[in-house]
Amino acid sequence: MLVHAIPTNATYEFAAEVRAGLARLGQKELPSKYFYDDVGSALFEVICRLPEYGLTRADERLLRRHSDEIVDRLAGPVAVAELGSGSGKKTRWLLEALGRRQRTFYYPVEISRTALSMCERELGDIDSISIVGFEREYLDGLLEVAAYRQSGQHLLVLFLGSTIGNFDRPAGVKFLTQVRRILEPGDALLLGTDLEKPSAQLLQAYDDELGVTAAFNLNLLARINRELDADFDVGQFTHVAKINHEERRTEMHLQSKRQQVVSISAAEVAIEFQAGETIWTESSHKYSAAEIVLAAAHAGFRCEAQWIDEQWPFAENLLIAV
Ligand code: AVJ
């Protein structure tokens, strides 16, 4: 696989975002995109296999069952861009369906180099599919992919796994709008969204009994130790999952067990934590099928079709740029 590597001072940006999130007054925060270093990406793959976390299996079931129909609803030749491909496992059926129709380019856009190489191992063998990876942030990567577009060719953008749930609702609509601006009328966005479900089920999904999600969350502190020369005592923090009913989302936090001070050399800060204080590390918004159609319309898409999993409420939404 050809990979366009990231041309940056990634560590510098990481340090700046960690400083901004932890040095603020009030609720401390860290961006969830930093979960996915080598260790975090591997832990996430394990989460996807946990009995409590039905989300990924629902996404996969829908894509497996409906790939042919999804492809049939797309007009003409397409190139596929996937935002946050992860291991690429659930994209196989779509690519196979497309490959049966014609030779197709697949462009995974990922900030994780590890995920890009997993993706190439997973999907490299599919007939008539050529893979070109972009180690980029989503919109930067999509802009480049759009620039590669040949005339008469449509883009199919994949944003699966309810990754959009990490944005709060207004930011989600803004993101869809930004994607829409890069697209042309007739281009498609296949958006996977986790739907509302009972609180008990969600709490188990985000606080599994083996502690894999806890390790995934705590790894963020271990990563800051490794990459930013910090001295977090990871054992002095606990993983907390909770439901925010007003915002209709689950949240993950890391709670300090006691009063403590942590220094982060590369960010040139020392941070004080009170006993019980938390760092908010992730939100996972849950939707109704109808609100996705509305949000899509605000962003300049019409909803061509929705497929919903019965076992684990989850929707695959095929949106067409208008
Ligand atoms: C990959 C962002 C969809 O929010 O459910 C899994 C990440 N966090 N367990 C999610 C996650 C905790 C996941 N997304």
Side-chain angles (χ1 to χ4, degrees):
M1 168 172 70
L2 180 65
V3 174
H4 295 274
I6 208 159
T8 64
N9 32 28
T11 305
Y12 180 82
E13 267 176 44
F14 184 28
E17 292 199 71
V18 166
R19 191 189 317 111
L22 296 184
R24 60 151 50 104
L25 298 168
Q27 177 68 62
K28 292 179 167 65
E29 263 180 67
L30 287 170
S32 54
K33 67 177 178 186
Y34 290 114
F35 282 139
Y36 303 93
D37 68 345
D38 280 17
V39 175
S41 298
L43 286 168
F44 181 66
E45 290 302 310
V46 180
I47 288 174
C48 293
R49 290 159 202 245
L50 294 173
E52 296 97 326
Y53 192 78
L55 190 157
T56 308
R57 282 183 297 279
D59 199 7
E60 285 174 357
R61 265 193 302 277
L62 290 167
L63 292 171
R64 186 163 8 100
R65 282 188 195 149
H66 304 294
S67 275
D68 285 319
E69 190 187 344
I70 293 169
V71 167
D72 285 345
R73 285 175 182 264
L74 302 172
V78 295
V80 182
E82 179 160 17
L83 310 181
S85 62
S87 71
K89 194 165 159 250
K90 59 191 165 209
T91 311
R92 165 170 293 273
W93 300 286
L94 263 178
L95 293 179
E96 284 179 350
L98 283 163
R100 282 193 290 274
R101 204 162 76 165
Q102 63 216 133
R103 168 148 293 283
T104 302
F105 273 89
Y106 170 57
Y107 304 105
V109 177
E110 252 298 338
I111 45 171
S112 160
R113 174 73 67 89
T114 319
L116 277 180
S117 36
M118 286 199 267
C119 185
E120 128 111 308
R121 239 177 299 142
E122 184 72 37
L123 303 171
D125 67 328
I126 304 177
D127 281 346
S128 306
I129 299 294
S130 309
I131 309 181
V132 180
F134 286 82
E135 192 179 339
R136 297 281 192 282
E137 300 267 340
Y138 297 147
L139 294 172
D140 295 342
L142 187 57
L143 265 172
E144 277 185 69
V145 169
Y148 270 57
R149 168 213 295 272
Q150 287 156 20
S151 70
Q153 189 180 52
H154 277 302
L155 277 183
L156 166 62
V157 179
L158 307 179
F159 196 32
L160 305 174
S162 206
T163 304
I164 192 168
N166 285 165
F167 294 115
D168 60 29
R169 285 181 159 76
V173 174
K174 184 174 171 207
F175 183 78
L176 293 179
T177 307
Q178 287 169 315
V179 169
R180 171 62 191 86
R181 284 203 194 113
I182 299 172
L183 300 181
E184 287 175 10
D187 288 348
L189 169 63
L190 185 65
L191 179 70
T193 50
D194 202 21
L195 301 180
E196 292 173 287
K197 47 185 65 60
S199 300
Q201 201 180 354
L202 285 176
L203 285 174
Q204 285 175 352
Y206 289 88
D207 194 7
D208 62 278
E209 79 176 358
L210 283 176
V212 183
T213 306
F216 175 70
N217 198 5
L218 288 161
N219 175 57
L220 191 48
L221 303 183
R223 179 182 184 180
I224 294 172
N225 285 345
R226 291 190 290 269
E227 294 183 23
L228 302 180
D229 193 17
D231 63 358
F232 275 102
D233 182 348
V234 175
Q236 289 303 325
F237 288 83
T238 347
H239 165 68
V240 178
K242 56 184 173 196
I243 310 280
N244 184 327
H245 291 282
E246 269 107 85
E247 301 289 344
R248 291 184 290 137
R249 67 187 181 212
T250 57
E251 294 177 4
M252 299 207 308
H253 292 253
L254 290 163
Q255 185 170 46
S256 176
K257 291 184 182 172
R258 54 174 171 78
Q259 193 274 331
Q260 54 186 321
V261 176
V262 175
S263 73
I264 308 171
S265 299
E268 296 177 318
V269 279
I271 308 291
E272 184 177 6
F273 293 91
Q274 302 306 320
E277 183 177 6
T278 74
I279 309 170
W280 176 20
T281 53
E282 187 180 46
S283 297
S284 304
H285 290 79
K286 305 302 168 187
Y287 306 94
S288 71
E291 85 176 296
I292 299 297
V293 178
L294 281 176
H298 277 294
F301 293 96
R302 72 177 168 80
C303 187
E304 160 80 16
Q306 277 181 325
W307 295 270
I308 292 172
D309 192 72
E310 303 294 325
Q311 231 172 300
W312 177 280
F314 185 98
E316 224 67 80
N317 310 275
L318 182 59
L319 311 178
I320 307 291
V322 289

